[in-house]
Amino acid sequence: MAIRTALLSVSDKSGLVPFAARLRERGIRLFSSGGTASELTRAGITVETIESLTGSPEMMGGRVKTLHPRVHGGILSRGAVDAGDLAKAGGVEIDLVVVNLYPFEQVAANPQSSREHIVENIDIGGPSMIRSAAKNHARVTVVCDANDYDRIATFIEAAGEVPADVRAELAAKAFSMTAAYDGAIASFLSRQREDAAKSESGEANSFQFSRYLTLPFEQVYRLRYGENPHQAGAFYRERGAPEGALANAVALGSGGKELSFNNIVDADAALEAVREFAEPAAVVVKHANPCGVATSTALVDAYVAARDADALSAFGGVVALNRPVDAESARAIAETFVECVVAPSFDEEALTILKAKRNLRLLATGGVYSADRQAIQYKRVGGGLVAQTADLNAASEVLGARVVTKRAPNESEMRALEFAWRVCKHVKSNAIVLAREGATVGVGAGQMSRVVSVQIACEKAGPRADGSVMASDAFFPFADGVETAVRAGVRAIVQPGGSVKDDEVIAAANASGVAMLFTGVRHFRH
């Protein structure tokens, strides 16, 4: 379908002028509205206004300008089938529609935006034109993303038209974009209504959860398979994923195998854990559980301590670091087989060292966002999903905890307890972490019985358990967990408390001179 006429109406004008100039060089007639027309005119590009097409001026401060039969008739026209009706309306066929929308999501996310300003940024004409063009993609090309400008201009310059399969692809992208846009609006408006209702009723504020939920994702790539070879898989990026998120990471590996489903899940678990620490830190994850975590003044020392916390499990694991990877750290990583390394960046020498490792995947996130970043987490269940706020943690949970034993932890034990507590919430429940100051020595994860998790953590630690501290993500239902830890040499314990057997648990600690803190906060992770 030869492109002779285009309509351009964009809020984000990035790349607009050079794209429009290329269209004009092909002799394409351009129609435009408001600020878009002004931008093109200032750049010396010939453009006709929407008013000249519709014969109607903009109304209500620009609220009504493209909602007109000549605009939508020109977009929806099916050629000869509708030529008579379009001629009677005084319209012309529009072959290319270039539209993006008012920045509703950005405005709504700004805490300084008034409700009136947010509502005013609900675009009406833009989605209408996009949907009309996408519906009629058999004839019309719709472009709603500036990243597509160069590709579309190149097609037009080469053949005067855009291939049918590309028009269909762009139509799907356009409907996806308008669906996400409408979902964000529905979420905002229903959340406002819920806030008002809860405020009136005096219930606790749950403003994060709207009545209607739309989660927009775009496929990044297909996976070789899912968790197992007989399962298909794909990786999707959330629209608006923050800087530092795994979904925005850049692959810098040696060109071996692509990331697998399990690599991605493990890399995310490792990233979430390493974000807990301000000092240089390293986390080694195996099967979505940290098997070694450490901090130090030097990144290489943090990595070696994390690896050696459970060297057997670290083999074939995924490593996350919260500092750019230097050559010394890279050499230490290269000593052991690991599947993937994720970090803010890698220096050139580090890349050279690590790329020599066959099939080692390297991911650069560009940054590490704070562990206290507000977010909503989702988990699929049959026919639906559950949602929750992120499990944010702070040093104050340990520093402000209640000492329940005769002996209080000393300064070194307190630092080790605070470290272990930060790690513990990233371990699958029932979770037990044994640590010394700045490094784990044993982790017990995912057991149905808490005492078994203690046994595993102590077994992993071996002689290093003597003099260590222990963190438990939930209370001890019986004294046996504490007694097992004491026999291994644990000297201080932090746990939420709250069991009907708390008195027995405290008595077991007191009998051995062990210090114990109750935080009053549970950190289950399923």
Side-chain angles (χ1 to χ4, degrees):
M1 300 292 177
I3 293 180
R4 296 155 300 186
T5 306
L7 188 156
L8 298 85
S9 180
V10 294
S11 176
D12 177 4
K13 297 175 177 57
S14 304
L16 171 69
V17 169
F19 178 52
R22 292 171 74 177
L23 298 179
R24 279 298 302 151
E25 287 172 5
R26 290 288 305 176
I28 295 171
R29 186 180 182 186
L30 305 183
F31 288 101
S32 192
S33 64
T36 306
S38 299
E39 181 92 359
L40 296 176
T41 300
R42 281 194 297 270
I45 297 171
T46 301
V47 61
E48 300 174 59
T49 64
I50 290 292
E51 292 95 323
S52 69
L53 172 62
T54 64
S56 300
E58 291 186 6
M59 298 170 58
M60 303 174 186
R63 273 194 163 199
V64 180
K65 51 193 172 189
T66 59
L67 296 171
H68 194 281
R70 290 182 183 173
V71 173
H72 287 276
I75 297 172
L76 287 164
S77 172
R78 293 166 293 181
V81 175
D82 298 313
D85 284 345
L86 186 60
K88 288 177 185 177
V92 296
E93 283 191 340
I94 297 170
D95 311 304
L96 172 65
V97 173
V98 182
V99 174
N100 57 51
L101 307 177
Y102 297 165
F104 172 83
E105 290 161 288
Q106 295 91 318
V107 173
N110 184 348
Q112 303 303 315
S113 297
S114 67
R115 190 177 193 280
E116 291 72 22
H117 182 48
I118 294 171
V119 169
E120 201 58 35
N121 272 273
I122 297 175
D123 203 327
I124 301 300
S128 299
M129 289 187 290
I130 289 172
R131 288 173 61 83
S132 291
K135 175 178 180 175
N136 203 28
H137 65 269
R139 184 183 66 79
V140 178
T141 301
V142 59
V143 181
C144 58
D145 183 351
N147 292 319
D148 291 318
Y149 288 173
D150 181 66
R151 181 168 68 134
I152 298 309
T154 300
F155 279 129
I156 294 170
E157 288 165 347
E161 63 180 3
V162 176
D165 62 329
V166 176
R167 295 199 303 274
E169 172 201 331
L170 293 172
K173 183 175 186 177
F175 276 119
S176 174
M177 189 266 284
T178 58
Y181 193 77
D182 286 343
I185 295 167
S187 177
F188 169 78
L189 293 176
S190 64
R191 188 168 65 234
Q192 295 276 305
R193 183 169 176 268
E194 292 290 301
D195 282 352
K198 292 191 180 298
S199 177
E200 290 173 7
S201 68
E203 292 182 33
N205 185 13
S206 60
F207 69 92
Q208 299 95 338
F209 303 106
S210 57
R211 183 174 297 274
Y212 305 105
L213 177 65
T214 299
L215 299 176
F217 291 86
E218 179 182 6
Q219 188 181 120
V220 180
Y221 51 78
R222 293 291 298 272
L223 300 172
R224 285 178 292 136
Y225 49 79
E227 280 186 285
N228 301 291
H230 62 275
Q231 295 172 269
F235 181 36
Y236 287 82
R237 179 188 295 118
E238 184 179 11
R239 175 173 163 146
E243 181 182 1
L246 182 65
N248 288 330
V250 177
L252 302 173
S254 57
K257 295 184 294 184
E258 293 179 346
L259 286 167
S260 71
F261 182 101
N262 296 327
N263 291 154
I264 292 169
V265 172
D266 284 349
D268 189 59
L271 264 181
E272 290 300 312
V274 85
R275 288 186 180 112
E276 290 287 340
F277 305 102
E279 59 269 54
V283 175
V284 182
V285 160
K286 196 73 169 288
H287 298 297
N289 271 306
C291 57
V293 181
T295 62
S296 185
T297 54
L299 188 67
V300 62
D301 295 333
Y303 169 71
V304 171
R307 179 195 65 194
D308 293 348
D310 185 353
L312 182 64
S313 298
F315 183 86
V318 169
V319 175
L321 307 163
N322 66 352
R323 294 289 193 279
V325 180
D326 55 23
E328 191 175 7
S329 300
R331 278 189 283 270
I333 293 168
E335 293 172 357
T336 306
F337 167 65
V338 296
E339 290 272 5
C340 176
V341 181
V342 56
S345 61
F346 300 77
D347 70 27
E348 288 302 318
E349 190 175 356
L351 278 177
T352 299
I353 294 166
L354 294 174
K355 283 184 176 182
K357 300 287 287 185
R358 178 175 168 78
N359 291 329
L360 173 60
R361 275 63 62 92
L362 307 177
L363 295 174
T365 63
V368 179
Y369 59 71
S370 171
D372 62 2
R373 178 181 174 272
Q374 295 284 345
I376 303 295
Q377 298 172 329
Y378 306 96
K379 183 174 290 188
R380 283 299 307 254
V381 296
L385 56 78
V386 289
Q388 65 176 358
T389 55
D391 182 13
L392 304 182
N393 194 14
S396 59
E397 287 182 6
V398 171
L399 300 179
R402 179 165 59 98
V403 179
V404 295
T405 47
K406 294 175 182 177
R407 184 175 79 81
N410 60 36
E411 289 186 13
S412 176
E413 288 169 341
M414 280 295 290
R415 288 191 293 269
L417 287 167
E418 198 276 327
F419 172 85
W421 189 246
R422 286 182 179 272
V423 175
C424 194
K425 80 185 188 82
H426 294 278
V427 177
K428 296 294 168 60
S429 192
N430 286 319
I432 296 292
V433 172
L434 267 57
R436 294 177 177 274
E437 193 173 338
T440 59
V441 295
V443 176
Q447 300 304 304
M448 290 67 76
S449 170
R450 188 159 298 276
V451 68
V452 174
S453 285
V454 176
Q455 291 167 356
I456 291 171
C458 292
E459 181 182 340
K460 290 283 187 182
R464 296 173 300 171
D466 191 15
S468 68
V469 305
M470 178 172 73
S472 173
D473 67 334
F475 63 64
F476 289 95
F478 305 101
D480 55 359
V482 169
E483 291 165 349
T484 300
V486 167
R487 285 195 295 271
V490 168
R491 299 299 301 151
I493 298 170
V494 60
Q495 59 138 319
S499 168
V500 296
K501 302 280 190 179
D502 275 350
D503 288 345
E504 295 179 19
V505 173
I506 294 168
N510 279 328
S512 302
V514 168
M516 184 181 290
L517 302 178
F518 280 9
T519 65
V521 182
R522 188 183 76 185
H523 287 292
F524 273 168
R525 189 178 187 88
H526 285 84

